[in-house]
Amino acid sequence: MKSTKVVFTICLLILALIGVSCKSKATHFTAISEGKTTKPNIIFLMTDDQRWDNMGCYGKPEFNTPNIDKLAEQGVIFDNAFYAVAICMPSRVTMMTGRYNSNHKVGFVAPDDYTLSQADFSKSYPAILKNTGYRTGFIGKVGFTVTEEAVRPSTPKEHYYKEQMGGVFDFFAGSETYDRKDFVIWPEDDETLQDIYKEGRQNSGRTKRTGEAMMRFLDTQPANQPFCLSVSFYAVKHDNNKDVYMPHFEQFKNHDFSVPRNWVEGDNPVLPDVVKENARGVYLHRQRSSTPELYQKLVRRFATQGYSVDEQVGFLVEKLKAKGLFENTIIIYTSDNGRFQGSHGLFDKCLLYDESVKAPLIIYDGRMPEAKRKRREKALVSSVDMAPTIVSMAGLQPPASMQGLNISGVLNQTQDMSGWRDTVFMEDLFLAAMFSKRYSEEVDEINQNLIDTNQSYRSRGVRTDRWKYIVYYEHTPKIEELYDTNKDPMEQHNLVDSPEHLDILQKLRKQAEDMYQMAIQ
């Protein structure tokens, strides 16, 4: 009996000690939580036309991107990320809404040339997070238009940012294509923000201005509210002196960059005829990247702009650390589409070769233990996954309208990879001939004539970890391409007529059609 009392007494003492310990921990937790949010902050960084391999962490240190590389070293680098569509307007809408181009129908040319309706914008990731208490901000190139109802054409003369986006973004500093034209800012009474974009400002540059606005957002951020900031750099697109911060050009001006093995001097005879005769990338290549001299001139300037963006990424990380926000912030870094830069005898983007559709994707989540960071990830992911992932990271349920997958489980290694996708879907709905006619009242008739005369090179396709399949589906007969990207990463040998690859061709052909049918539902 005595021993029982001793045991009971010891148990009481242990419970008391546990209680003191738990109370102490609870008090400590309350103290560090005061004035701070428990929800993660989310920063979505997007460049314009940045080819996936134009940075150190993707194998090309000659581009000198030390801050992006350091962020990648601390986070997760995705080696198999692809765009669902590889041209700016529809790609941006896809990433904001989590919907395929054929579904949201926001693009440059008919028949998929609608603006984004208010109803659809209300189901974008910024709107969803705003409605659940996040402070939201947007800085940089918007690239699409929101209107009360979806209307055509998608590139109207006015963009109504304040009227149509004012209820979603608390902080806004953006425009359609350039930050020197039709720029809109709110809060209007933020004199510091106004000064950043003051006309005629010296010793500036569009990337530096974007970065300064990014810093201003953080400096005005309340301590007790989570935030979601979308930053859309105007770089690395355009290469005129007024678009390039010339002091950064000095380090690259005499550097000879490596040339991709599939770069073509002059015209490329093996491209499909419909592409050679009609695609914008063909004649732009002749003008801009078809000789060694032209190639080096352009890539030096793209590298300069990439370095300017990299500098702002460094400032961003420093600011987050100084404010004690870094460990509770998720940073996503990507671009809106790739760019050929002479590969395949093409400039521009859109077409479904990897230089256009492969995406840089780096995600740093300060809440994750180091054991789950500092690695490369081979899972297939799509740009259509960005919106549902951001919504899920905020602890919310993505709406049924979002067609992408939440990649959070892949990121933190809780996903059962045996159940993960083995294929991503991609499409190109852009026609250069239609773009020049986008304001015509007869756009639908013009479009049908291009199809009837075999001038359409619209395409769709699928990508697995090994295979790439492309079909130019409006051409008669259909033109197909098949590549073994393990043996042929430069996509130089079309296997579509190879009898030994007939089974995989038929499988991917069906997958492409099935995924398209799912996309349009």
Side-chain angles (χ1 to χ4, degrees):
M1 187 74 170
K2 185 176 180 181
S3 62
T4 304
K5 287 183 178 180
V6 170
V7 172
F8 182 71
T9 303
I10 292 171
C11 288
L12 287 175
L13 287 170
I14 291 171
L15 287 169
L17 288 170
I18 292 173
V20 169
S21 176
C22 289
K23 184 177 179 181
S24 174
K25 287 180 180 178
T27 303
H28 176 65
F29 178 79
T30 301
I32 64 170
S33 296
E34 284 178 2
K36 294 187 178 180
T37 175
T38 55
K39 287 202 167 195
N41 304 307
I42 302 171
I43 300 176
F44 185 71
L45 303 176
M46 178 192 292
T47 51
D48 193 351
D49 279 23
Q50 188 171 31
R51 180 165 150 158
W52 72 275
D53 60 354
N54 283 190
M55 55 190 74
C57 61
Y58 279 105
K60 291 196 175 178
E62 60 188 334
F63 280 86
N64 194 14
T65 52
N67 294 300
I68 295 170
D69 297 345
K70 188 174 181 179
L71 185 69
E73 289 170 6
Q74 295 295 315
V76 177
I77 306 169
F78 287 82
D79 285 321
N80 286 301
F82 294 91
Y83 300 108
V85 55
I87 186 171
C88 57
M89 184 192 300
S91 180
R92 290 161 186 270
V93 174
T94 285
M95 284 192 258
M96 197 162 271
T97 64
R99 297 165 60 192
Y100 290 103
N101 192 177
S102 285
N103 187 279
H104 61 66
K105 296 186 179 297
V106 178
F108 287 105
V109 301
D112 299 287
D113 59 340
Y114 288 88
T115 59
L116 187 66
S117 70
Q118 270 286 0
D120 287 342
F121 187 51
S122 71
K123 290 178 279 190
S124 65
Y125 77 78
I128 292 169
L129 268 61
K130 165 73 173 177
N131 289 337
T132 57
Y134 270 75
R135 181 185 182 226
T136 55
F138 185 94
I139 300 167
K141 176 178 174 178
V142 181
F144 63 92
T145 303
V146 178
T147 51
E148 187 172 348
E149 302 290 338
V151 297
R152 305 167 71 186
S154 57
T155 50
K157 302 299 184 183
E158 296 183 68
H159 296 283
Y160 318 105
Y161 293 137
K162 182 65 174 177
E163 296 87 341
Q164 300 294 346
M165 295 181 165
V168 169
F169 294 115
D170 301 296
F171 182 105
F172 185 94
S175 64
E176 174 65 10
T177 304
Y178 304 97
D179 78 346
R180 58 183 181 267
K181 180 182 178 184
D182 299 327
F183 206 76
V184 178
I185 294 172
W186 69 79
E188 291 86 350
D189 60 354
D190 188 331
E191 294 183 3
T192 301
L193 186 59
Q194 296 284 347
D195 285 343
I196 291 171
Y197 294 97
K198 185 176 181 180
E199 189 174 352
R201 181 182 168 202
Q202 298 299 308
N203 300 318
S204 186
R206 60 182 186 169
T207 302
K208 290 173 72 69
R209 291 190 288 269
T210 299
E212 289 174 13
M214 184 166 62
M215 297 302 105
R216 181 60 180 167
F217 176 88
L218 295 176
D219 284 337
T220 57
Q221 173 62 31
N224 59 351
Q225 184 181 16
F227 65 82
C228 178
L229 174 62
S230 302
V231 182
S232 178
F233 290 97
Y234 298 92
V236 299
K237 189 175 184 177
H238 302 129
D239 52 280
N240 294 321
N241 283 358
K242 58 189 174 185
D243 299 316
V244 177
Y245 186 62
M246 296 310 292
H248 288 168
F249 180 66
E250 290 298 310
Q251 64 182 299
F252 300 109
K253 67 179 182 180
N254 295 316
H255 180 74
D256 286 332
F257 281 85
S258 59
V259 181
R261 296 199 312 274
N262 61 357
W263 175 81
V264 178
E265 184 168 9
D267 288 350
N268 182 2
V270 302
L271 287 170
D273 287 343
V274 68
V275 172
K276 286 188 292 186
E277 294 165 6
N278 298 283
R280 186 172 67 176
V282 173
Y283 58 79
L284 286 179
H285 172 63
R286 293 180 189 130
Q287 299 168 5
R288 313 199 71 203
S289 55
S290 60
T291 69
E293 295 77 18
L294 286 172
Y295 175 84
Q296 294 297 338
K297 176 183 177 181
L298 281 172
V299 175
R300 287 166 185 157
R301 286 173 171 260
F302 296 148
T304 300
Q305 296 199 66
Y307 180 81
S308 296
V309 171
D310 181 84
E311 181 183 58
Q312 299 309 316
V313 172
F315 292 154
L316 170 65
V317 171
E318 289 176 10
K319 175 73 77 171
L320 291 170
K321 288 180 176 179
K323 287 184 166 292
L325 297 171
F326 192 55
E327 292 183 353
N328 192 43
T329 297
I330 300 165
I331 302 174
I332 302 170
Y333 184 98
T334 189
S335 188
D336 63 346
N337 52 252
R339 182 171 50 202
F340 286 108
Q341 296 173 187
S343 291
H344 298 279
L346 296 164
F347 192 79
D348 209 33
K349 53 261 186 169
C350 303
L351 297 167
L352 302 186
Y353 305 117
D354 269 9
E355 292 79 14
S356 171
V357 297
K358 191 167 183 177
L361 180 61
I362 300 160
I363 302 181
Y364 167 84
D365 186 344
R367 305 166 304 162
M368 285 172 54
E370 285 193 9
K372 293 192 174 185
R373 293 190 276 117
K374 299 187 174 183
R375 65 183 179 88
R376 305 191 82 97
E377 175 57 59
K378 63 181 182 179
L380 281 165
V381 301
S382 170
S383 59
V384 78
D385 301 334
M386 293 300 98
T389 298
I390 291 171
V391 171
S392 299
M393 285 173 164
L396 305 169
Q397 183 67 35
S401 60
M402 291 187 175
Q403 300 175 297
L405 300 180
N406 168 23
I407 68 172
S408 297
V410 175
L411 185 70
N412 60 31
Q413 296 184 307
T414 60
Q415 172 71 41
D416 176 6
M417 296 310 296
S418 66
W420 191 249
R421 68 155 70 95
D422 61 6
T423 311
V424 290
F425 176 72
M426 57 196 74
E427 54 190 337
D428 172 21
L429 307 182
F430 181 83
L431 297 180
M434 287 296 299
F435 183 65
S436 63
K437 304 291 186 181
R438 63 191 181 278
Y439 297 119
S440 171
E441 293 182 0
E442 292 80 34
V443 288
D444 292 315
E445 291 82 358
I446 295 169
N447 177 60
Q448 190 59 51
N449 182 63
L450 290 172
I451 296 170
D452 293 342
T453 56
N454 260 351
Q455 296 180 69
S456 171
Y457 51 94
R458 288 192 181 95
S459 60
R460 64 177 70 108
V462 291
R463 178 70 149 81
T464 73
D465 61 346
R466 178 175 178 178
W467 301 99
K468 163 79 69 64
Y469 168 76
I470 303 168
V471 56
Y472 300 88
Y473 57 90
E474 290 183 336
H475 193 276
T476 304
K478 292 178 182 178
I479 299 170
E480 297 175 299
E481 297 181 68
L482 176 68
Y483 298 100
D484 182 343
T485 64
N486 284 358
K487 296 180 180 178
D488 180 25
M490 296 287 105
E491 298 171 314
Q492 296 294 286
H493 306 290
N494 184 5
L495 302 174
V496 75
D497 293 324
S498 167
E500 64 188 275
H501 295 95
L502 180 60
D503 288 347
I504 188 65
L505 172 64
Q506 291 176 336
K507 177 184 176 181
L508 297 180
R509 182 186 286 156
K510 184 177 186 305
Q511 276 189 297
E513 180 60 27
D514 290 347
M515 295 185 81
Y516 167 69
Q517 293 299 329
M518 291 179 64
I520 62 177
Q521 292 178 2

